[in-house]
Amino acid sequence: MKQPDPAQGPGRRRARRLVTLWPTMVVGALIWVLLWGDLSWANVISGAVLGALVALAFPLPPIGTATTVRIGPLLHLLGRFVGDLVLASFQVAWTAVVPGRAARGGPTPHGALVSVPLRTDSDLFIATTAGLSSLVPGTLVIDLDRPTRTLRLHVLDIAASGGPDAVRDATLDLEARLLRAFAPSAELARVGLAPYTLDKEERR
Amino acid sequence: MTLVTDVAAAVCLLLGAFFSFSAGVGVVRFDNLLSRMHVVAKPQVLGLLLLLAGVALRLQDRGSATMLLLVAIFQLMTSPVAAYMVGRSGLRTRCVDPAVLEIEEDEFPAREAGR
Amino acid sequence: MMLAVGVVATTLLAVGALLAVVRIERGPTMLDRTVAFDVLTTALVGAIAVEAAISRRTESVPILVVLSLVGFIGSVTIARFAAVEPPKNGTAAQRSGPRPGAGAAGGAGPSAPGSVGFAGPNAGSGGSGVEPGPDPADVTGRKEES
């Protein structure tokens, strides 16, 4: 959506590219500082320069989406995420390690593929939802159909996860938490979510 | 104080090692590719995070802690991507046996064209 | 106390790594080996982390950064270039052959029909490879599990 107008000259386009470089430079500086473990001007500047160089040498399509940060929903998202990661790890580890299942036809529970149509249409939020849903209990992203905004998830144990509908609801809840934390109000209104509902997410 | 952090570090190290161990067990015992990837995506990530936390608690060094934080962030960001790449290519190259899946969509077997 | 913790943790990690090696040897497709290799790399990272924690060595930490990235890049590269592998058993009729141009990298090497390098467990799979039945299950190697 933020494709530069082809009518503009190459100079304008290059200038615009330089302007859109600044998030990469910030991230590069941050990574560089973390890597050296030392907050100094030399580290910040060289990290920013490296980030700009990487972004110029390996250009990627823009995923530019306006984001806002809401503190309350962000904490909710993070808290649920950490809890979910721990829970998921214990579940999968238990499923793998527990002995007796071999007697019942192998240790692998019956899996399933579930398609989840997401509501948001932003590349950034779709990708983040996909990444997060690999780390929460039960699901793993297998494929992503961008035109229909559909995630295809593999569910390790479809019976324990409560069937395809429960998986879909859980993923949509995850998406809702993410959108409440980061999406601008217009996007939230478009997908039909209230900005601040911290308890039970409503289903569409 | 040292005792408290040492005990916390020991707990982190043991739990993390257990999760890594369970990843190895799962990779051998699960009988299809997609189920094995669950093991790589979840317990292994948490196991490595716990091990890194144990190291940070034990070293008590700011420079090392930031580097370990970087490893943890990398791990959280890259593990779903790696699992997604492997799973997608497993689906498209038909390494995955449709018989072990409950497919509720219809297009799964037909969907291998175009990557 | 720390020494005991180190012994237990490294034992767990070593057993996990050994199991991953078992899967690398056994895994019927290249992707199975990739997944197991990821587990092996992480076990290695974990072992270095345990060592750094027990002996309080700061200088091992950069190795963790590098190794954690190498594992990821390896997995993604292999997955990106994985091709449709020719079946080892008699199910060629049920499967589409390798797409033209797609079999150059990745999976073609150890799994070509003639090479039996890693096909050891398949030999003992109860004759499922001989039957021409329309069962694609042996592609994933389910029958090999105990």
Side-chain angles (χ1 to χ4, degrees):
Chain A
M1 65 188 92
K2 290 226 168 78
Q3 293 294 329
D5 193 357
Q8 291 174 344
R12 283 281 292 280
R13 214 179 306 155
R14 198 163 297 140
R16 182 183 281 231
R17 271 205 67 87
L18 276 179
V19 171
T20 57
L21 272 182
W22 72 266
T24 324
M25 294 172 70
V26 170
V27 172
L30 189 64
I31 289 179
W32 206 243
V33 166
L34 283 179
L35 198 58
W36 289 101
D38 181 23
L39 182 61
S40 70
W41 280 113
N43 276 343
V44 171
I45 291 171
S46 53
V49 169
L50 273 178
L53 282 181
V54 168
L56 285 177
F58 307 102
L60 288 173
I63 56 166
T65 309
T67 55
T68 55
V69 177
R70 298 185 187 85
I71 297 296
L74 177 62
L75 290 179
H76 184 223
L77 174 74
L78 287 180
R80 271 298 294 271
F81 171 66
V82 172
D84 277 350
L85 179 61
V86 174
L87 181 65
S89 301
F90 271 106
Q91 273 180 4
V92 179
W94 181 251
T95 314
V97 173
V98 66
R101 299 186 73 118
R104 288 178 272 137
T108 314
H110 204 77
L113 282 184
V114 177
S115 291
V116 184
L118 294 181
R119 290 168 288 193
T120 177
D121 199 30
S122 140
D123 285 336
L124 182 63
F125 296 137
I126 289 178
T128 317
T129 309
L132 288 181
S133 66
S134 282
L135 296 168
V136 302
T139 55
L140 190 72
V141 175
I142 299 297
D143 209 344
L144 169 61
D145 193 25
R146 184 62 187 85
T148 58
R149 310 184 296 220
T150 302
L151 289 183
R152 323 191 89 239
L153 304 173
H154 178 253
V155 187
L156 179 62
D157 190 346
I158 187 68
S161 295
D165 284 333
V167 172
R168 249 178 238 123
D169 284 345
T171 310
L172 288 179
D173 280 354
L174 176 70
E175 184 202 13
R177 286 198 293 276
L178 179 73
L179 288 180
R180 288 210 179 88
F182 289 116
S185 305
E187 173 82 2
L188 273 183
R190 199 182 62 73
V191 302
L193 286 171
Y196 288 98
T197 331
L198 283 184
D199 40 7
K200 285 282 131 198
E201 282 96 357
E202 75 280 6
R203 316 262 142 79
R204 193 163 58 147
Chain B
M1 190 57 206
T2 320
L3 185 67
V4 174
T5 54
D6 270 4
V7 168
V11 170
C12 282
L13 289 176
L14 286 178
L15 258 181
F18 167 73
F19 277 126
S20 281
F21 164 73
S22 79
V25 174
V27 150
V28 169
R29 286 188 79 199
F30 284 168
D31 64 2
N32 61 64
L33 176 65
L34 295 181
S35 299
R36 281 182 212 132
M37 275 161 34
H38 276 272
V39 159
V40 179
K42 286 167 223 142
Q44 185 179 271
V45 171
L46 185 65
L48 192 60
L49 292 188
L50 285 172
L51 286 174
L52 296 176
V55 177
L57 281 173
R58 186 85 175 132
L59 288 182
Q60 305 270 349
D61 174 40
R62 200 167 53 91
S64 304
T66 54
M67 225 181 277
L68 293 169
L69 178 68
L70 200 61
V71 179
I73 294 173
F74 279 157
Q75 193 68 25
L76 279 175
M77 282 173 60
T78 56
S79 146
V81 177
Y84 159 74
M85 290 290 291
V86 172
R88 188 184 67 150
S89 117
L91 207 62
R92 294 190 177 174
T93 59
R94 299 200 183 180
C95 294
V96 180
D97 175 15
V100 300
L101 299 169
E102 253 172 43
I103 302 151
E104 39 114 35
E105 257 57 46
D106 44 356
E107 83 265 51
F108 165 59
R111 211 192 134 85
E112 91 264 34
R115 67 173 56 207
Chain C
M1 178 194 80
M2 266 305 171
L3 193 66
V5 169
V7 169
V8 174
T10 39
T11 310
L12 281 173
L13 285 169
V15 174
L18 267 180
L19 291 172
V21 171
V22 168
R23 176 53 72 193
I24 290 178
E25 191 272 333
R26 217 195 255 180
T29 68
M30 204 65 200
L31 292 173
D32 293 291
R33 298 198 173 95
T34 310
V35 170
F37 185 74
D38 203 34
V39 175
L40 180 62
T41 318
T42 313
L44 187 61
V45 173
I48 295 173
V50 168
E51 199 273 338
I54 299 304
S55 57
R56 295 188 191 267
R57 284 156 60 106
T58 319
E59 61 264 33
S60 314
V61 174
I63 305 176
L64 299 181
V65 180
V66 176
L67 269 184
S68 71
L69 283 180
V70 166
F72 164 69
I73 292 170
S75 301
V76 168
T77 312
I78 298 180
R80 182 70 187 79
F81 292 111
V84 175
E85 299 187 22
K88 297 185 197 69
N89 300 327
T91 56
Q94 282 84 44
R95 298 179 38 144
S96 63
R99 272 174 280 134
S111 61
S115 81
V116 287
F118 286 140
N122 274 340
S125 60
S128 72
V130 188
E131 298 163 3
D135 179 14
D138 47 357
V139 175
T140 60
R142 310 181 63 198
K143 304 250 172 74
E144 301 161 14
E145 312 301 323
S146 53

